Amino acid sequence: MKLEALFTVKQNKLFLAKDDSAVNPDDFEKIPVKWSQVELDDEVYNEELLAKLRDNLKALEAQNKFAILIPEIDKAFETSDQKEAFINAMNHTARRVKDCISVAGFELPAKLLEAKIQGDFIETLAKKHAQYVYFAEKSDADTFNLTENLSSYNVVIQ
């Protein structure tokens, strides 16, 4: 089930797709998603946690509210295998909440930006979840010299 995009990004700002009206992402619920709680062991995912997350997102949907999922990199994130495991865990998370209209998208964690693999993260999730937009802190985009790079993706810089 593919959802239509409810939001668009223009010049790193967020807009409603239906009428191009500006949207303030600060009004969205911020929901942390700890990698260590999603992936309990190599490619072993916490389906109970993800089911609860889906229930919470469906409750927001019933209230016509939106959320940004905030991945937290709280495990070793140094090797290419570890980075791939993180991306896969968040992609698995996206699959489990794929029917939740309330999910506007994912924040890009500073460690992901520092590793300069935001493209891999976005492209992996976009294969099945093209409706998502991504969010990055302006200070992180500036610190890692990524503002121009992020504009080639649907990234809101706040």
Side-chain angles (χ1 to χ4, degrees), residues 15 23 122 127 130 147 153:
F15 298 88
V23 176
I122 292 169
K127 288 176 186 172
T147 303
Y153 297 103

Side-chain angles (χ1 to χ4, degrees), residues 78-89:
E78 296 156 7
T79 69
S80 58
D81 285 347
Q82 290 166 336
K83 292 170 185 173
E84 183 179 347
F86 167 75
I87 292 171
N88 289 340

